[in-house]
Amino acid sequence: MDDDAPVIYGLEFQARALTAQTAETDAIRFLVGTQSLKFDNQIHIIDFDDENNMINKSVLLHDAGEMWHISGSPADKAVLTTCYSKTSESRVLTCAAVWRMPPEWESGSHESPDDSSNNPQTLELLCHLDNTTHGSVACVLWEPLGDGKRVISLAENHVLLWDLQESSTKATISSTATLEGKGQLKFTAGKWSPHHNSTQLATANDTAIRGWDLRSMSQIYCIENAHGQLVRDLDFNPNKQYYLASCGDDCKVKFWDVRHINEPVKCLEEHSHWVWSVRYNHSHDQLLLTGSSDSRVILSNMVSISSEPFGHLVDDDDLSDNEESQQEDKGKEPLQDSIIATYEEHEDSVYAVEWSAADPWLFASLSYDGRLVINRVPRALKYHILL
Amino acid sequence: MISATTPPDSDPTGRRRVHSMLKLYYGLNEEGKVVEQAESLDPCDINGPHFDPEVYLNKLRKECSLGELMDHESCTVKQIRSLDSDMQTLVYENYNKFISATDTIRKMKNDFKKMEDEMDCLSANMAAITEFSAHISGTLQDQHAQITKLSGVHTLLRKLQFLFELPARLNKCLELQAYAQAVSAHRRARCVLQQYSHMPSFRGIQDDCHVIMEQLAHQLRQKFRDGGSSAKDLSECVELLLQLDEPAEELCDKFLSHAQSRLEADLQGLEAELKDSPVTDTDILEFIDRGCNEFVSNLCLVIASYQELFINQMANGKLHVFVDTLAARYFSLVERRIQEEKGVGDNSLLVRALDRFHRRLQAISKLLPGSAVPSQGTEIVVRAARERIKQYLSALQTFYHDSLTDVRQALAAPRGATSKDATPSLTELLTSLSNFILNQLKSVLASVHLFTAKDITFSNKPYFKGEFCSQGVREGLVVSFIKLICQSSRQYCESAGDRGGSTPPALLLLLSRLCLDYETSTISYILTLTDEQFLVQHHTPVTPVTALCAEAREAAQKLLNHYVKVQGLIISQMLRKSVETRDWVNTIEPRNVRAVMKRVVEDTTSIDVQVGLLYEEGVRKAHSSDSSKRTFSVYSSSRQQIRYAPSYTPSAPMDTSLLSNIHKLFSERIDIFSPVEFNKVSVLTGIIKISLKTFLECVRLRTFGRYGLQQIQVDCHYLQMYLWRFVSDENLVHFLLDEIVGSAAHRCLDPSPMEQSVIEVICERG
């Protein structure tokens, strides 16, 4: 049986929003939010059964509107945020809210998976991240590794830090920052750094990447013209605190050391159209996933700038146990940066890619036509990294 | 019977046989030598020397029958008879010879008697002559002895007179400064004076001479020390001093130090010239000339006279050290001067100067065979040549950049003028640019070629025959220059920045065509030209033509890709701004095509013209008979209904994207920023692909009202009408525009498409 074959799941609607269920560490679970102006939007909970190579899905109704962004709480696996657009008085506004999944969704879907679409359960609204004064929300970020009480929303040119209180049913703005400048500035993406005690944030607007200190809510660095065109996404290296990956409309993926912002550390140009999403693997930061509107997903192995440039470091105890492996290790050449694989299962632009929170060797990608593809890191590479 | 068996005289072979048998008997073989007779020991051999008749007879009697015996007997009798007759003949012959010999001897006896008488007469005469001669010499002897004595006295007197006159003569010589004469005179007298110094008169003379010679030596030393005199004088001086038994080593040192001071004066003269006058005042040829005439010729003179004077006494080592140190200084000066020769205008002067420099140093090698000086000189020439190549390379580089700047300005200038003036200049610019570069390269090659001209002495050195041509000129100059062109072209792609603003796209296009031309013809032409001119024999591996061509092609490809990207981004930017800044929900009903679309078509047309100037048309897939009308079927209202109708039924969403999904399933994946081919259609296709994909992605990010969708429909139809003609495969345009309209419909709050006929009317109105 070929375990490396991709698993494909089709949604009925177009979709852009994808996230792994961050707080879930046992099951491989992804959340997909649909985007439809005319029908009721849904959140699909995709459970992947690794052993049987099968997908179980459950559908929850999200009747507030089409989803642009979705994000799961790191503390409570039932809690998530969405950014959705709401049309009122011929005005389209993107709002954000915190939701809780109904407790029965799991049992219900398992009992009767076939008619789950007929009477799907609805998400329970916990609170709105009220944005009437600040404009459309681009994305909502949970505090990484936090207790699920703090979120940041990026609305137009504002950074809003929220405190969730009373089991997330009440949200209050604790501090804000505003990006001032010429023209209409608008954040397109952001990422909350897991390092420095979660006190830093990186945002993208137009071609610039900015770093923020959340204690003083002030800008700490700014990479002007980080990309030739719009910057679409960012991600922090989970193991190296100053390293940051970005992607954009110039088809490039760039790696930055935020202490030296004049030049990127490295630059990849493998996609043939805009790169919409970039993600570091949570455990092995040499593995990098990118999704692009050329309908391709590329998995790269960036060993040279990873936290393990000479391969996996074996503990001394292991070495004394096994002399042979020690010699083998010495003879092993450091791996070269390379493209591991290009996945071409998608037919339309891929707007989101995400690693599984539970299994570091598994990832999902979502294209606009609603196709979700789950892939694995090639086994040979996996063993190479582990051994 | 005898005559019948062996005819004695008639047959020569028979006689020969007889002779040989006789010879055999006497133990002689044919050549007259004694034969080993081992075989004839048999006593039964009748011809053998050990023949025993008894044994023979017994044997015969025992072995033969009577008949045989009878036969044998008759045979033997026959043989005996023939032998008898042979013997008689021989005896007769010998007798005859003996008689004639006796006659001859008798005749000789008579002749000798006559001769004896004549000899007696001769000896009597000779005795008389001897007597007379003795008498004469006896009378003359006294006078001869007297004359000899007189002449001896005369010589002695002459010598004495010379000795007495010597001091005066030396003085006079001293006055006249005829040192050479004085020294030679003194030398002649010295031994005699030394020998007879015990006699007071001679002693006086000797003392006088000593004083004078001391004075003379002093004067010579003075003169020597002054050093003002010429090298020739100096060497004369030294020669004289040597004859005066001055210590050779000291003299040698002094000689060298004097020579050094004079040579150093020369060097200082050169150095002063180097320092004082800027390079423009004296050209390098003059400088080298002066160096050669003053320093090198003096040096040669010194070497020659040194060898003449000291070579027997002294080792050559001193001279070598001396020459080497001075030459090193000279070389450093020359090198400094060569380094100042930076202008690349006229190479012939430098080559001639180097040639002269080199030629003059050969003289030293002839004078001083073991010296390292000439080879060092050659090295300087080699270094100068290398340096020269580098300078030419950098000159070419600056020339290339300058001409690119010119082109850039030419491209920028006509912007103000009408476009008709500007457009033809692109082709002209290309030809003039490539001609400029080629001519410059040719002239540089011609200049460098001077180094290997036949009349230049160093051109037959192994370096100039081999390495200079292959590594220096071919690799260092030509190949490096071509690589440089490619590299700088590639830099345009990278440094042009991600915004693509710094380099005008036309320049990218022009350079791309230039690189492509290089790939197809120019590189091989240049390299063939070089190989022919320099007769390059490749001892060392050289860059093959194919590798260079590949590099040029790669550069051309990269430039063209970049051009497509830049132009695509410019149009993309317009489209994106137009989509992002508009409020599509609340827009009014479309009345005409938006201006930005017209602008897009205009820009595309002008790009088409621009690319068409430099690149061929390229192949495109066959058009359907009425390509511009094809929109009818694509956007026909009936089909729109099919596509959008399901939106109104709840179960529809699966079908909404069905058509486009099926389309995607069967159409090939479109790479947006993909490499293009070297033709117009491919370039334009690339640009249009980029632009339309941007349009699509931007549309997907927006939400549309009813009129927003209709406006997109109108715009797309307009693009459809004009863009199909530029691309290789019109289906591509159709597909992308389909996608745009489809996506807009999806993103529409109130999707009610506009009637196709209305769209057409609006578009035709312009």
Side-chain angles (χ1 to χ4, degrees), chain A residues 42-329:
Chain A
Q42 303 163 337
I43 286 181
H44 287 236
I45 303 166
I46 313 290
D47 251 304
F48 180 66
D49 183 350
D50 198 22
E51 283 175 11
N52 300 319
N53 226 26
M54 274 172 53
I55 278 178
N56 296 316
K57 66 149 185 179
S58 318
V59 177
L60 296 175
L61 220 54
H62 178 276
D63 48 13
E66 56 170 7
M67 271 166 279
W68 291 88
H69 189 263
I70 185 168
S71 181
S73 160
D76 186 346
K77 54 185 174 180
V79 175
L80 61 120
T81 59
T82 60
C83 302
Y84 57 92
S85 56
K86 194 169 73 180
T87 314
S88 56
E89 298 152 13
S90 4
R91 189 161 161 263
V92 181
L93 186 69
T94 310
C95 307
V98 186
W99 309 85
R100 177 181 289 281
M101 296 188 231
E104 317 83 46
W105 66 266
E106 215 159 356
S107 53
S109 67
H110 277 298
E111 279 169 11
S112 54
D114 290 334
D115 49 20
S116 64
S117 54
N118 289 342
N119 49 353
Q121 291 168 314
T122 311
L123 282 171
E124 176 192 339
L125 176 70
L126 292 178
C127 63
H128 286 286
L129 300 176
D130 187 29
N131 64 327
T132 40
T133 51
H134 296 113
S136 287
V137 179
C139 60
V140 175
L141 311 166
W142 289 91
E143 181 184 22
L145 317 170
D147 52 3
K149 298 235 167 101
R150 296 210 306 165
V151 292
I152 286 175
S153 68
L154 300 176
E156 298 287 338
N157 58 339
H158 304 285
V159 178
L160 309 173
L161 180 59
W162 302 80
D163 275 338
L164 301 179
Q165 289 153 345
E166 298 167 22
S167 321
S168 307
T169 52
K170 193 179 160 200
T172 52
I173 294 177
S174 66
S175 52
T176 63
T178 305
L179 179 63
E180 303 288 353
K182 282 187 292 182
Q184 238 188 342
L185 297 173
K186 198 174 151 189
F187 288 120
T188 53
K191 203 82 189 178
W192 197 329
S193 165
H195 307 291
H196 313 289
N197 243 344
S198 301
T199 54
Q200 286 190 9
L201 171 77
T203 61
N205 66 296
D206 198 18
T207 62
I209 297 173
R210 285 160 207 279
W212 303 84
D213 188 330
L214 295 172
R215 292 165 296 189
S216 58
M217 288 311 261
S218 59
Q219 185 176 314
I220 45 180
Y221 57 83
C222 173
I223 309 173
E224 299 276 6
N225 292 324
H227 284 266
Q229 310 282 310
L230 210 66
V231 181
R232 291 280 172 194
D233 197 12
L234 313 160
D235 199 16
F236 280 99
N237 186 319
N239 300 326
K240 292 179 89 176
Q241 55 183 342
Y242 296 110
Y243 276 70
L244 174 71
S246 67
C247 60
D249 287 1
D250 55 0
C251 313
K252 289 175 185 162
V253 178
K254 291 185 179 181
F255 298 88
W256 303 91
D257 179 340
V258 297
R259 294 164 298 184
H260 309 286
I261 57 172
N262 294 328
E263 281 292 315
V265 180
K266 205 149 182 109
C267 181
L268 289 180
E269 196 169 359
E270 302 294 338
H271 284 290
S272 71
H273 203 243
W274 306 350
V275 188
W276 286 76
S277 181
V278 59
R279 287 289 180 270
Y280 275 111
N281 187 296
H282 304 306
S283 323
H284 305 282
D285 55 286
Q286 60 265 53
L287 299 178
L288 189 94
L289 207 54
T290 50
S292 153
S293 41
D294 63 2
S295 315
R296 290 190 180 95
V297 175
I298 293 183
L299 177 61
S300 317
N301 188 12
M302 304 303 294
V303 181
S304 69
I305 52 173
S306 74
S307 59
E308 297 176 353
F310 304 108
H312 186 62
L313 297 175
V314 185
D315 290 340
D316 285 343
D317 298 344
D318 297 348
L319 285 181
S320 57
D321 287 348
N322 194 345
E323 288 290 323
E324 263 181 56
S325 78
Q326 185 181 15
Q327 284 169 344
E328 218 169 276
D329 253 33

Side-chain angles (χ1 to χ4, degrees), chain A residues 66 90 249 252 272 349 351, chain B residues 498 576 586 673 697 747:
Chain A
E66 56 170 7
S90 4
D249 287 1
K252 289 175 185 162
S272 71
S349 305
Y351 293 130
Chain B
D498 301 313
R576 162 186 274 171
N586 299 316
F673 288 100
E697 292 294 341
R747 304 287 317 143

